[in-house]
Amino acid sequence: MSSSRSMTPTLEATIVSAKDWTPSSWQSKPIKQDVDYPDQAHLNRVLEKIGRLPPMVVPGEIHRLRQQLADVALGKAFLLQGGDCAELFDYCAQGAIESKLKVLLQMSLVLVWGARMPVVRIARMAGQYAKPRSKPTEMHEGQEILSYRGDNVNGYNPDERIPDPERLLGAYFHSTTTWNYVRSILAEGFADLHHPSNWNLHHVKSSTLRQEYQGIVDRLTDALDFMKTIGADPNGPGSQPGKLASTLNTVDMFASHEGLLLEYEQALTRLMTDPTNPTQQRYYNLGTHFLWIGDRTRQIDGAHVEYFRGLENPIGVKCGPSMKPEELVELLNILDPDRRPGKVTLITRYGVDQVDKYLPGHIKAVQESGHIVVWACDPMHGNTKQSTSGLKTRHLIDITKELSQAIRVHKQMGSHLGGVHFELTGDRVTECVGGSMELSDMELLNRYETHCDPRLNYEQALDMAFLIAKYQEKQRGFSGVMSL
């Protein structure tokens, strides 16, 4: 925990901020995906209250994530970012939180084993309540109604579509409660790796593949037992009472969400003392550790880019086929003029048939610009299709191919893929087709629960982790980075 001095500005400190920037300067720019609230006075009262509420995170945590992402950018660590497409307030529940944490922790353990390098864990969690839409309205039973914009704007039921400012307060309190529970269970040993019985591989239908996965789990268990035997495990024989927990039983976990509703984000932006330099004050969004700009809101002269350029938080930018190489460099120059390693994470999302067409140009442009970014692959968003039952779905084969192609292109370009970005859940939903459980198109109706885009379920998420780890293992000794 950061000291109180780092959380409270001092009168002597110098304010350091981007040129001509304030938390509200975005209001002078054109904006996309904004929400039209019928009662502006009500909205202002809610925002004023949120502005008085305490932060959810502290600057010291943000700086720790910044340093870890710098290691990712330099090829010294690997990024795993994952969680729901759009959280629901109902997901603020013990079981839902624990299942999501479990799958992220197990995935990260497999990746650590495969790459033999640290994994930076960022959850799409405790704030991912907003949902960008291609159109502000939709048709329902012959009537045009407002589109569902996420639980922090309006309700999913057709009779709850009027934007309600009180939902912003709901977003704050659900986010705070969620992250408070995450902190608590991590501190109490939820991340303890000494429970091999938690690895259930019965879903893997192929006996050959199940043996491969079980082999990885067995080797992980053997490694943990060895560390316990030699005394490297503080829970093992001969451990000293009061000794600090090691990474065997506790980990860093960071929160993230798309920075979509700028009024809400502004209310959570605070001028705080820089924990690395107490003589300076800087602006932090203290509603989360990491925010990203979506593909629909990354206009160079737009409100979202203006808001993001002034934050000390590490930030992400979704990068797809519509991003021109020269536009990408201009965007990086605005968001990170000092070219700090890992400040910006580029989250690529092209679609399985578009990687070779667009990724090489983006990599070359960034290389020539001198920016040192984290390259992360989101193999989900470009591969959404309609199932025979009419539901939106994604196929594991497409997700795997896009990830494989991204890794190959990075290697060919003298770059490296530093991380992955998945939409996933720890529950046994049926929203994506394929994987080791061989989920079929007709089985999607069994437990299709998403209010947004289809997510990997627990088993499919582990499939991706095992797949990446196997390739990482093959590449060890040849390169310090991942390759397929």
Side-chain angles (χ1 to χ4, degrees):
M1 177 64 69
S2 302
S3 67
S4 59
R5 184 175 66 174
S6 69
M7 294 192 294
T8 306
T10 60
L11 294 175
E12 297 80 11
T14 301
I15 297 176
V16 180
S17 64
K19 184 179 179 182
D20 300 325
W21 184 90
T22 69
S24 62
S25 57
W26 63 269
Q27 297 180 17
S28 65
K29 303 285 185 177
I31 188 169
K32 300 286 188 180
Q33 297 290 323
D34 58 326
V35 177
D36 184 14
Y37 288 94
D39 190 341
Q40 193 67 36
H42 187 184
L43 173 65
N44 291 338
R45 290 193 300 271
V46 167
L47 293 173
E48 183 181 356
K49 179 170 183 176
I50 293 173
R52 296 194 307 268
L53 291 168
M56 299 183 212
V57 304
V58 293
E61 295 170 340
I62 292 171
H63 278 269
R64 189 160 71 248
L65 175 57
R66 280 270 299 272
Q67 183 55 58
Q68 293 183 21
L69 288 173
D71 287 342
V72 175
L74 297 172
K76 300 176 183 178
F78 190 79
L79 169 64
L80 171 63
Q81 186 171 12
D84 290 294
C85 170
E87 284 182 283
L88 305 180
F89 289 165
D90 285 346
Y91 295 168
C92 182
Q94 178 181 348
I97 294 169
E98 290 181 356
S99 64
K100 203 175 306 177
L101 275 186
K102 176 183 176 180
V103 70
L104 288 172
L105 290 168
Q106 289 188 335
M107 290 176 73
S108 68
L109 177 59
V110 172
L111 294 173
V112 167
W113 175 87
R116 296 298 196 271
M117 65 170 61
V119 170
V120 181
R121 305 162 186 86
I122 303 180
R124 288 175 57 118
M125 193 177 191
Q128 181 57 15
Y129 296 116
K131 174 181 168 61
R133 298 303 300 261
S134 55
K135 295 191 300 183
T137 61
E138 61 187 19
M139 298 303 296
H140 175 73
E141 297 180 352
Q143 299 293 319
E144 186 177 26
I145 63 173
L146 292 172
S147 297
Y148 172 61
R149 297 290 302 274
D151 273 10
N152 61 353
V153 175
N154 55 8
Y156 186 73
N157 291 332
D159 58 353
E160 297 178 340
R161 296 297 176 87
I162 301 300
D164 181 3
E166 293 296 324
R167 286 181 170 269
L168 295 176
L169 271 177
Y172 172 89
F173 287 115
H174 282 86
S175 298
T176 304
T177 303
T178 296
W179 205 246
N180 179 64
Y181 186 58
V182 169
R183 291 182 194 275
S184 298
I185 59 177
L186 288 179
E188 289 298 308
F190 185 82
D192 195 327
L193 306 182
H194 303 85
H195 303 292
S197 61
N198 288 342
W199 295 88
N200 186 340
L201 300 177
H202 295 313
H203 68 277
V204 184
K205 292 190 176 181
S206 164
S207 59
T208 302
L209 192 59
R210 189 184 312 116
Q211 281 185 321
E212 284 187 34
Y213 287 2
Q214 190 62 53
I216 294 176
V217 173
D218 290 344
R219 280 175 280 177
L220 277 169
T221 305
D222 286 344
L224 292 170
D225 288 343
F226 174 74
M227 295 184 72
K228 182 182 294 185
T229 301
I230 65 173
D233 177 2
N235 291 330
S239 61
Q240 299 175 4
K243 185 175 179 180
L244 291 176
S246 75
T247 53
L248 290 178
N249 46 41
T250 186
V251 299
D252 277 336
M253 182 72 72
F254 300 99
S256 69
H257 63 258
E258 180 178 354
L260 192 60
L261 303 183
L262 295 185
E263 294 93 344
Y264 177 78
E265 305 300 346
Q266 178 185 329
L268 290 167
T269 304
R270 312 288 167 85
L271 182 63
M272 305 291 282
T273 299
D274 182 342
T276 66
N277 186 347
T279 67
Q280 296 180 343
Q281 298 173 19
R282 298 177 184 271
Y283 284 101
Y284 301 85
N285 183 311
L286 298 181
T288 192
H289 299 106
F290 179 101
L291 298 102
W292 71 87
I293 306 176
D295 199 47
R296 293 186 176 100
T297 55
R298 54 168 176 74
Q299 295 77 22
I300 294 293
D301 62 346
H304 288 79
V305 171
E306 171 63 21
Y307 170 74
F308 272 71
R309 77 179 181 91
L311 297 178
E312 285 298 306
N313 304 62
I315 58 178
V317 178
K318 287 295 186 82
C319 185
S322 63
M323 176 82 82
K324 295 180 174 60
E326 60 273 16
E327 180 188 11
L328 175 56
V329 173
E330 187 177 359
L331 195 56
L332 289 173
N333 289 340
I334 294 171
L335 295 173
D336 182 29
D338 297 328
R339 290 170 164 75
R340 293 166 288 182
K343 164 65 177 178
V344 177
T345 296
L346 294 179
I347 307 167
T348 61
R349 31 94 74 223
Y350 302 107
V352 65
D353 298 324
Q354 303 292 320
V355 177
D356 286 321
K357 183 176 181 180
Y358 294 105
L359 181 56
H362 289 157
I363 293 174
K364 182 180 179 182
V366 174
Q367 288 173 328
E368 293 176 349
S369 75
H371 286 277
I372 304 175
V373 303
V374 172
W375 287 99
C377 176
D378 168 4
M380 307 284 293
H381 277 89
N383 294 303
T384 305
K385 54 184 65 175
Q386 192 172 41
S387 70
T388 54
S389 57
L391 298 171
K392 281 199 302 183
T393 190
R394 289 158 173 163
H395 289 240
L396 266 289
I397 187 64
D398 294 334
I399 293 169
T400 302
K401 284 182 178 179
E402 174 156 354
L403 180 58
S404 303
Q405 291 171 9
I407 295 167
R408 173 180 51 78
V409 171
H410 275 285
K411 186 177 182 181
Q412 292 172 347
M413 298 289 296
S415 176
H416 73 276
L417 182 67
V420 287
H421 184 115
F422 293 123
E423 289 185 336
L424 57 82
T425 175
D427 298 325
R428 265 78 178 185
V429 300
T430 56
E431 297 169 3
C432 292
V433 173
S436 63
M437 66 190 303
E438 301 177 11
L439 187 72
S440 70
D441 196 306
M442 297 310 297
E443 291 176 294
L444 293 176
L445 291 168
N446 292 349
R447 194 175 167 186
Y448 193 93
E449 298 179 359
T450 182
H451 285 186
C452 186
D453 289 333
R455 304 159 294 175
L456 302 175
N457 61 26
Y458 171 79
E459 292 84 359
Q460 292 166 332
L462 280 184
D463 285 341
M464 297 307 300
F466 280 123
L467 175 66
I468 296 168
K470 286 196 297 180
Y471 286 116
Q472 288 174 323
E473 183 188 20
K474 290 178 183 178
Q475 293 301 310
R476 286 204 309 268
F478 301 99
S479 169
V481 296
M482 172 178 150
S483 177
L484 283 177

